[in-house]
Structures are given as C-alpha cells and as structure tokens.
C-alpha cells in the first residue's frame, strides 16, 4: 500500500463515528455512489455460506423389545461400558455424538434404528 493511502487510513482511524458518517455521505455525493449498495451483496451471501456442517446424533427413545440391541449399538458407538450404555439408553433423550459430519450422522442413525432405537439428527 502506498504511503498516501496508509496516511489516509490513519487519519480516518482518528475520526469519531459522527465524523465518519459525514465522510461517507460526502463521498457518496461527490462520486455518485452508495456505500449501502456495496455492503448488500456481502450481507446476502453470508447466510448461504453458513450451511450446517456439524450435526448431533440424539437418542430419543427405543423399542422396549429391542433394548439389549440398542444398548449394544450405543456401546459400540460411544465406547461406553455396559452400565454406562444402559444408563444412556434408559435416560433417553441423550446426545450420543456431537459435531459429526452429515454422512457420519446418517450412518449412526441407520445403525441405531436397525437396532430398534429412535434417533434424531440435530
């Protein structure tokens, strides 16, 4: 960056909010442009970029007849011991995995549902 531009930036940093607002309006009038028009496309693009990439797998319930299968599946997924997995299943709704990719979340959901669990991906 040139020294002239660097000096301008330093000068602008010293302005109050009111002075900065006046400067923006003066530049808009002088050059026939709008600062709002430049900010709008950036603001519109931001929500699209915030697509969810991490998901939580939540055990919401289970089929009572398949409780043992569900406990085994929970043990396999979480690495918990038998007593911990049983407590997790009986304490549903419980989050089993946090911040996993969509593909992993879908795979875990499928595995749990095959065992007889009811699962949500959040």
């Amino acid at each position: 960056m040139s020294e002239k531009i660097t000096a301008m930036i330093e000068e602008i940093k010293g302005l109050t909010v009111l002075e900065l607002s006046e400067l923006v309006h003066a530049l808009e009038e002088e050059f026939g442009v709008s600062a709002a028009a430049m900010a709008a496309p950036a603001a519109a693009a931001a929500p699209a970029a915030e697509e969810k990439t991490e998901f939580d797998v939540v055990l919401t319930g289970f089929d009572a007849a398949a409780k043992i299968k569900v406990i085994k599946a929970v043990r396999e997924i979480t690495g918990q011991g038998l007593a911990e997995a049983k407590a997790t299943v009986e304490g549903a709704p419980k989050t089993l995995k946090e911040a996993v990719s969509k593909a992993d979340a879908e795979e875990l959901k499928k595995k749990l549902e095959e065992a007889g669990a009811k699962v949500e991906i959040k």
Side-chain angles (χ1 to χ4, degrees):
M1 213 175 327
S2 73
E3 286 183 36
K4 191 174 185 181
I5 292 175
T6 304
M8 284 180 168
I9 291 173
E10 289 303 316
E11 189 73 30
I12 290 171
K13 285 182 182 178
L15 297 176
T16 66
V17 175
L18 184 58
E19 291 170 330
L20 189 56
S21 176
E22 290 174 6
L23 173 64
V24 169
H25 292 298
L27 290 171
E28 287 175 338
E29 287 179 26
E30 180 68 30
F31 296 107
V33 295
S34 172
M38 298 304 289
E50 293 180 22
E51 186 175 330
K52 191 169 181 177
T53 58
E54 294 184 338
F55 299 86
D56 295 344
V57 179
V58 180
L59 175 69
T60 57
F62 60 94
D63 181 13
K67 182 176 179 179
I68 294 172
K69 288 181 184 177
V70 174
I71 292 171
K72 286 180 181 179
V74 168
R75 283 186 69 194
E76 182 181 329
I77 290 167
T78 63
Q80 294 177 328
L82 182 59
E84 294 167 313
K86 182 177 184 266
T88 298
V89 170
E90 291 174 345
K94 292 279 187 174
T95 301
L96 300 178
K97 286 284 188 176
E98 295 180 335
V100 295
S101 70
K102 185 170 184 164
D104 289 344
E106 292 291 338
E107 184 179 323
L108 294 173
K109 180 179 179 182
K110 181 181 174 193
K111 185 180 285 189
L112 286 162
E113 286 178 341
E114 286 174 354
K118 293 178 182 75
V119 182
E120 285 184 10
I121 296 176
K122 294 184 180 184

